[in-house]
Short mmCIF file of all heavy atoms in Angstrom, two decimals:
data_model
loop_
_atom_site.label_atom_id
_atom_site.label_comp_id
_atom_site.label_asym_id
_atom_site.label_seq_id
_atom_site.Cartn_x
_atom_site.Cartn_y
_atom_site.Cartn_z
N TYR A 36 -15.73 5.69 6.82
CA TYR A 36 -14.37 6.16 7.16
C TYR A 36 -14.51 7.41 8.00
O TYR A 36 -15.37 8.26 7.74
CB TYR A 36 -13.61 6.48 5.88
CG TYR A 36 -12.23 7.07 6.13
CD1 TYR A 36 -11.20 6.28 6.63
CD2 TYR A 36 -11.98 8.41 5.87
CE1 TYR A 36 -9.95 6.82 6.86
CE2 TYR A 36 -10.73 8.96 6.10
CZ TYR A 36 -9.72 8.16 6.59
OH TYR A 36 -8.48 8.70 6.83
N ASN A 104 -11.19 12.84 -8.03
CA ASN A 104 -11.53 13.83 -7.00
C ASN A 104 -10.85 13.43 -5.68
O ASN A 104 -11.42 12.75 -4.83
CB ASN A 104 -13.06 13.81 -6.86
CG ASN A 104 -13.57 14.96 -6.05
OD1 ASN A 104 -12.99 15.31 -5.04
ND2 ASN A 104 -14.64 15.55 -6.48
N GLY A 105 -9.59 13.83 -5.56
CA GLY A 105 -8.74 13.30 -4.49
C GLY A 105 -8.32 11.89 -4.89
O GLY A 105 -9.02 11.23 -5.68
N SER A 106 -7.20 11.42 -4.37
CA SER A 106 -6.81 10.05 -4.75
C SER A 106 -7.75 9.03 -4.13
O SER A 106 -7.86 7.89 -4.59
CB SER A 106 -5.35 9.76 -4.41
OG SER A 106 -5.10 9.95 -3.04
N ASP A 107 -8.49 9.42 -3.09
CA ASP A 107 -9.50 8.53 -2.52
C ASP A 107 -10.45 8.00 -3.60
O ASP A 107 -10.84 6.84 -3.58
CB ASP A 107 -10.35 9.27 -1.46
CG ASP A 107 -9.64 9.36 -0.12
OD1 ASP A 107 -8.73 8.55 0.14
OD2 ASP A 107 -10.00 10.26 0.67
N LEU A 110 -8.80 5.41 -5.79
CA LEU A 110 -8.61 4.19 -5.00
C LEU A 110 -9.92 3.39 -4.99
O LEU A 110 -9.93 2.18 -5.22
CB LEU A 110 -8.20 4.54 -3.57
CG LEU A 110 -6.72 4.87 -3.35
CD1 LEU A 110 -6.50 5.55 -2.00
CD2 LEU A 110 -5.86 3.60 -3.45
N TYR A 131 -3.72 2.48 5.41
CA TYR A 131 -4.73 3.53 5.26
C TYR A 131 -6.12 2.98 5.62
O TYR A 131 -6.57 1.99 5.05
CB TYR A 131 -4.68 4.03 3.82
CG TYR A 131 -5.56 5.21 3.53
CD1 TYR A 131 -5.88 6.15 4.51
CD2 TYR A 131 -6.06 5.42 2.25
CE1 TYR A 131 -6.67 7.25 4.22
CE2 TYR A 131 -6.83 6.52 1.95
CZ TYR A 131 -7.15 7.43 2.96
OH TYR A 131 -7.93 8.51 2.67
N TYR A 134 -9.11 1.62 3.19
CA TYR A 134 -9.16 0.40 2.38
C TYR A 134 -10.28 -0.56 2.82
O TYR A 134 -11.02 -1.06 1.97
CB TYR A 134 -7.80 -0.33 2.38
CG TYR A 134 -6.63 0.44 1.79
CD1 TYR A 134 -5.32 0.02 2.02
CD2 TYR A 134 -6.80 1.57 1.00
CE1 TYR A 134 -4.23 0.70 1.49
CE2 TYR A 134 -5.70 2.26 0.47
CZ TYR A 134 -4.43 1.82 0.73
OH TYR A 134 -3.35 2.49 0.21
N ALA A 171 0.19 0.93 0.45
CA ALA A 171 0.51 2.35 0.58
C ALA A 171 2.02 2.43 0.80
O ALA A 171 2.54 1.81 1.72
CB ALA A 171 -0.24 2.96 1.75
N ALA A 175 0.84 4.43 5.31
CA ALA A 175 0.14 5.20 6.32
C ALA A 175 0.12 4.31 7.56
O ALA A 175 -0.04 3.11 7.43
CB ALA A 175 -1.29 5.46 5.87
N ASP A 201 -0.17 2.91 -3.60
CA ASP A 201 -0.73 4.21 -3.19
C ASP A 201 0.44 5.08 -2.72
O ASP A 201 0.97 4.90 -1.63
CB ASP A 201 -1.75 3.94 -2.07
CG ASP A 201 -2.34 5.20 -1.47
OD1 ASP A 201 -1.91 6.30 -1.84
OD2 ASP A 201 -3.24 5.05 -0.62
N ALA A 203 0.64 8.35 -1.95
CA ALA A 203 0.22 9.67 -1.47
C ALA A 203 1.39 10.45 -0.87
O ALA A 203 1.44 11.67 -0.95
CB ALA A 203 -0.90 9.52 -0.44
N TYR A 204 2.35 9.71 -0.27
CA TYR A 204 3.42 10.38 0.49
C TYR A 204 4.79 10.19 -0.14
O TYR A 204 5.80 10.25 0.55
CB TYR A 204 3.42 9.84 1.93
CG TYR A 204 2.10 10.06 2.62
CD1 TYR A 204 1.23 9.01 2.87
CD2 TYR A 204 1.72 11.34 3.00
CE1 TYR A 204 0.02 9.22 3.49
CE2 TYR A 204 0.50 11.56 3.62
CZ TYR A 204 -0.34 10.50 3.86
OH TYR A 204 -1.55 10.72 4.47
N THR A 227 -1.31 11.87 -5.38
CA THR A 227 -2.25 12.96 -5.04
C THR A 227 -1.56 14.31 -5.07
O THR A 227 -0.33 14.38 -4.83
CB THR A 227 -2.85 12.71 -3.65
OG1 THR A 227 -3.72 13.80 -3.33
CG2 THR A 227 -1.80 12.61 -2.55
N SER A 229 -2.61 16.45 -2.93
CA SER A 229 -3.03 16.94 -1.61
C SER A 229 -1.88 17.28 -0.67
O SER A 229 -2.02 18.13 0.19
CB SER A 229 -3.88 15.89 -0.89
OG SER A 229 -5.10 15.70 -1.54
N LYS A 230 -0.75 16.57 -0.81
CA LYS A 230 0.29 16.67 0.21
C LYS A 230 1.43 17.56 -0.27
O LYS A 230 1.52 18.71 0.12
CB LYS A 230 0.81 15.27 0.58
CG LYS A 230 -0.28 14.21 0.74
CD LYS A 230 -1.12 14.39 1.98
CE LYS A 230 -2.23 13.37 2.03
NZ LYS A 230 -3.12 13.56 3.16
N ARG A 238 -8.94 18.69 -3.91
CA ARG A 238 -9.29 17.29 -4.16
C ARG A 238 -8.83 16.86 -5.55
O ARG A 238 -9.62 16.81 -6.49
CB ARG A 238 -10.81 17.05 -4.01
CG ARG A 238 -11.44 17.62 -2.77
CD ARG A 238 -10.81 17.12 -1.47
NE ARG A 238 -10.88 15.69 -1.34
CZ ARG A 238 -9.79 14.91 -1.17
NH1 ARG A 238 -8.59 15.42 -1.08
NH2 ARG A 238 -9.93 13.62 -1.06
N LEU A 239 -7.59 16.58 -5.68
CA LEU A 239 -7.08 16.12 -6.96
C LEU A 239 -6.08 14.98 -6.82
O LEU A 239 -5.04 15.16 -6.18
CB LEU A 239 -6.42 17.27 -7.71
CG LEU A 239 -7.15 17.50 -9.04
CD1 LEU A 239 -7.08 18.91 -9.49
CD2 LEU A 239 -6.65 16.53 -10.07
N GLY A 240 -6.45 13.84 -7.38
CA GLY A 240 -5.55 12.70 -7.37
C GLY A 240 -5.46 12.14 -8.78
O GLY A 240 -6.18 12.57 -9.68
N1 PMP B 428 -3.74 7.40 0.50
C1 PMP B 428 -3.24 7.56 1.72
C2 PMP B 428 -2.25 6.55 2.21
C3 PMP B 428 -3.64 8.64 2.51
O1 PMP B 428 -3.16 8.78 3.76
C4 PMP B 428 -4.54 9.57 1.99
C5 PMP B 428 -4.93 10.80 2.78
N2 PMP B 428 -5.76 10.63 3.82
C6 PMP B 428 -5.07 9.35 0.72
C7 PMP B 428 -4.62 8.26 -0.02
C8 PMP B 428 -6.12 10.22 0.12
O2 PMP B 428 -5.71 11.52 -0.13
P1 PMP B 428 -6.49 12.47 -1.10
O3 PMP B 428 -7.87 11.91 -1.31
O4 PMP B 428 -6.50 13.78 -0.44
O5 PMP B 428 -5.71 12.47 -2.38
#
Side-chain angles (χ1 to χ4, degrees):
Y36 176 72
N104 192 319
S106 58
D107 280 338
L110 279 165
Y131 186 28
Y134 298 165
D201 176 354
Y204 302 107
T227 178
S229 293
K230 317 288 176 184
R238 313 302 302 123
L239 241 151

